[in-house]
Amino acid sequence: MKLYGYGSTPNPRKVKIVLAEKGIDYEMVEVDLYKAEHKSPAFLEMNPSGKVPVLETDDGRYLTESIAICRYLEALHPEPNMFGRDAFELGLIEMRNRQMETELWSQIGTSWKNGPVVAKMGNRVVPEAKEISDANVHAYYQRLDGELSDVDYLTAGRFTIADVTLLTGVDFAIHYCGLTPDESLQNLWRWHGFITGRDSVDSLG
Ligand SMILES: N[C@@H](CCC(=O)N[C@@H](CS)C(=O)NCC(=O)O)C(=O)O
């Protein structure tokens, strides 16, 4: 299979971590977002949304949406399990993953879209929106610090897709949005160091 992505962008990174966890061989195809290769007619044919990642299956079909791709990978390679083994776990891990997406990633996304990098690209930004979302991200870091006080993983007692979504979101926030968790948030930092130490978790690159 082929994975279309770009550098250390966070959504392709989720898929790369799951591919590595499951030991799946694949070919990486870099799509240069700065050259707008993801808006070319050939790319839009694979993904009309014009975004990475895209997974090309061995029989030439395409999947987009990082979590949908990861679910496909889990169905093909059930171990190690990252989405849940029974009905309750399936619900629990989905719940935590959705919380990371809707409560954290959405705020990080607002900070990114209204931040200096996007402004430099010539886009209109709303600095007040970034101020609000920055505060929301820092408040959420506080909450996570409490939730991670006596556990190694976000949920289910093992490495799951919810950890992948949290890690890729926090790293993007740190490196591209200036949203570094306060050093007093020891539990969040301990979790971050522990997860980053996994073989499947690449450095940001
Ligand atoms: N919901 C999608 C989001 C994909 C996405 O926004 N990808 C970013 C890179 S992390 C991208 O392609 N951005 C370029 C653009 O939106 O033009 C997913 O989970 O795969």
Side-chain angles (χ1 to χ4, degrees):
M1 58 183 81
K2 285 185 192 169
L3 178 67
Y4 296 79
Y6 182 57
S8 58
T9 48
N11 285 297
R13 189 172 178 230
K14 286 184 214 160
V15 179
K16 288 186 205 172
I17 292 172
V18 172
L19 283 161
E21 276 291 320
K22 293 176 178 290
I24 303 171
D25 285 334
Y26 66 102
E27 182 187 331
M28 187 69 219
V29 182
E30 293 291 326
V31 179
D32 192 332
L33 302 189
Y34 287 103
K35 291 187 183 153
E37 288 176 1
H38 58 312
K39 307 296 180 195
S40 70
F43 189 88
L44 290 174
E45 221 163 273
M46 292 191 294
N47 182 6
S49 298
K51 292 177 193 298
V52 290
V54 173
L55 187 86
E56 184 176 342
T57 66
D58 288 338
D59 59 2
R61 292 180 291 174
Y62 298 105
L63 281 174
T64 69
E65 289 298 325
S66 54
I67 297 298
I69 294 170
C70 294
R71 283 191 177 282
Y72 167 79
L73 297 173
E74 172 116 329
L76 280 184
H77 297 265
E79 295 297 333
N81 177 280
M82 300 181 75
F83 281 88
R85 292 189 193 282
D86 58 28
F88 184 75
E89 265 199 7
L90 281 163
L92 184 69
I93 295 168
E94 176 74 13
M95 176 187 88
R96 292 304 266 150
N97 192 57
R98 290 291 293 154
Q99 286 172 341
M100 295 311 111
E101 291 175 340
T102 59
E103 297 173 2
L104 182 62
W105 269 65
S106 67
Q107 296 300 314
I108 294 169
T110 301
S111 292
W112 163 252
K113 281 184 196 139
N114 293 290
V117 180
V118 170
K120 240 192 211 162
M121 292 172 189
N123 296 296
R124 184 168 169 246
V125 300
V126 181
E128 293 78 9
K130 176 167 164 55
E131 258 173 54
I132 294 168
S133 55
D134 281 2
N136 289 338
V137 170
H138 283 296
Y140 207 79
Y141 286 162
Q142 285 272 358
R143 170 179 159 181
L144 285 165
D145 191 66
E147 291 173 346
L148 291 165
S149 66
D150 53 3
V151 289
D152 285 336
Y153 303 100
L154 194 54
T155 193
R158 66 174 186 280
F159 187 59
T160 69
I161 193 67
D163 292 298
V164 175
T165 299
L166 176 55
L167 182 79
T168 52
V170 169
D171 280 345
F172 181 75
I174 293 172
H175 293 279
Y176 299 101
C177 306
L179 290 167
T180 300
D182 193 88
E183 63 182 28
S184 67
L185 302 179
Q186 293 292 308
N187 299 317
L188 181 55
W189 279 115
R190 178 184 44 74
W191 169 88
H192 185 273
F194 180 63
I195 298 295
T196 303
R198 294 183 77 79
D199 287 346
S200 64
V201 177
D202 55 325
S203 75
L204 251 193

